[in-house]
Amino acid sequence: MTTALRNRQILYAHRPTGTLTADAFEVADAAVPSLQEGEVLCRTILLSIDAANRAWMQGRTYRDELHEGEVMAGFAICEVIDERDTGIPVGSLVTAEAGWQEYSVQPARGVNVMPVLGPLTHHMSVLGITGLTAYFGLLRVGRPRTGETVLVSAAAGATGNVVGQLARLKGARAVGITGSDTKNAFLIDELGFDAAVNYRSPAFGDDLRRACPDGVDVYFDNVGGPTLERALRMMNMGGRIACCGAVSQYDTSDPAAGGGIHGVPGLVVTKRLRMEGFIVIDFAADWPEAVQQLVGWIASSDIKVVEDVVDGLDRAPEALIGLLAGDNVGKRMVRVGPDPES
Ligand SMILES: NC(=O)c1ccc[n+]([C@@H]2O[C@H](COP(=O)([O-])OP(=O)(O)OC[C@H]3O[C@@H](n4cnc5c(N)ncnc54)[C@H](OP(=O)(O)O)[C@@H]3O)[C@@H](O)[C@H]2O)c1
């Protein structure tokens, strides 16, 4: 069966020299290789589109460097459709670094069989990497207390919207920063944020001060750059900054040195701030417990699931380019194939 399958792929064609454009990718059509012992054949169902995909195109990060001509890297939810002596039953649903392609052959140790606790899209959003990033980054690194103010950037995105909702759940005031008034209205009206401000507005600084009259106790930083600098000035004594990512620095071949941030370390010292970077895999041992809690909060409607599904593998490049320009609301993913028939 496997040899008859053709595999549509999106390749990483070359390193972008500035803002990402579609010509950094190439479509290919390959044969699916035959399986060797200890391997599974996966059919991609949902492909995650992440701001970090762009950072990976720039060189070595926390993952191996991408090489030109390789299948574009990406995290996916897949169905196992064949296997050779792996003990993983055909029909299992797995998460894997499957890449931007319809089928992938993986060593059994490269896939994780997932329990299905809700719609598959939820396993890509709130119950997936970005939901867990919000959970651990806010609760373990930011550690908000009741009545404190939590400020989060890229607040209408996959990670940010969950951060704000969790902050509210923990009795804190949630203030979002996004690049759009429409997104901000959504955060306040639909997700219960207390306030939201637009970093593209010329009045950003004044708006931020008005939105955070008691200052900021926890800043969940998804963007770095000038927004981090603004946030540093808003921090209260003893505040915590959870450094999650720096999306403002990804879509360029020449990120500003140090993100172009003034006030580090001066403000960190004088305000006794704690700035702590983290990667969600640091907390992998506690993921199952976090997922159970998140499932409960979804069931009780304490957390709303916000998803942005783009149809078709061929649209993956435009989905990533659009995400970097801020056209997504919630977790962006590409549907590559249908859910398995139940
Ligand atoms: N540490 C970890 O383990 C971990 C894990 C997952 C993700 N992350 C990080 O989490 C952050 C969010 O990622 P995500 O996958 O959830 O993406 P996302 O927030 O769904 O999408 C990215 C958002 O960033 C905003 N943005 C783009 N360019 C910007 C700029 N120059 N300045 C300010 N905002 C900008 C856009 O919204 P606007 O309309 O607001 O501009 C866009 O919607 C990223 O920094 C990512 O690297 C970290």
Side-chain angles (χ1 to χ4, degrees), residues 4-73:
L5 284 175
R6 299 299 298 175
N7 188 17
R8 197 163 177 82
Q9 303 174 315
I10 311 277
L11 308 182
Y12 167 61
H14 63 81
R15 184 178 288 200
T17 49
T19 304
L20 183 63
T21 49
D23 63 0
F25 303 98
E26 223 168 65
V27 177
D29 175 62
V32 172
S34 340
L35 282 183
Q36 306 297 314
E37 200 173 313
E39 290 180 337
V40 290
L41 173 62
C42 295
R43 175 181 72 84
T44 308
I45 300 170
L46 293 167
L47 178 64
S48 183
I49 299 295
D50 297 290
N53 295 156
R54 176 66 182 88
W56 301 345
M57 299 174 83
Q58 220 49 54
R60 195 174 157 69
T61 52
Y62 54 89
R63 77 183 301 291
D64 290 342
E65 188 168 348
L66 275 170
H67 297 286
E68 293 178 358
E70 282 180 358
V71 174
M72 177 61 194

Side-chain angles (χ1 to χ4, degrees), residues 49-52 129-130 133 154 157-159 177-180 183 199-200 222-223 244-248 250 278-280 323-324 326 328 330-331:
I49 299 295
D50 297 290
I129 295 291
T130 48
T133 299
T159 308
I177 300 174
T178 80
S180 127
K183 286 184 179 180
Y199 69 87
R200 296 186 203 269
N222 282 318
V223 305
C244 177
V247 67
S248 74
Y250 296 167
F278 71 96
I279 296 284
V280 63
L323 176 120
L324 295 165
N328 65 306
K331 173 63 197 164

Side-chain angles (χ1 to χ4, degrees), residues 219 221 223-233 241 243 245-249 255-268 273 275:
Y219 174 49
D221 183 20
V223 305
T227 303
L228 170 57
E229 192 175 330
R230 287 267 185 202
L232 277 176
R233 295 180 193 287
I241 298 155
C243 299
V247 67
S248 74
Q249 305 296 301
I261 301 153
H262 303 284
V264 179
L267 286 169
V268 176
L273 303 176
M275 274 182 102

Side-chain angles (χ1 to χ4, degrees), residues 282-307:
D282 303 344
F283 303 96
D286 295 338
W287 285 7
E289 185 192 325
V291 166
Q292 286 302 338
Q293 275 203 311
L294 289 162
V295 165
W297 287 327
I298 294 168
S300 59
S301 301
D302 284 308
I303 289 191
K304 289 189 185 167
V305 181
V306 190
E307 295 173 339

Side-chain angles (χ1 to χ4, degrees), residues 234-255:
M234 295 293 301
M235 296 303 296
N236 290 330
M237 211 50 116
R240 286 84 69 202
I241 298 155
C243 299
C244 177
V247 67
S248 74
Q249 305 296 301
Y250 296 167
D251 200 12
T252 167
S253 48
D254 185 25

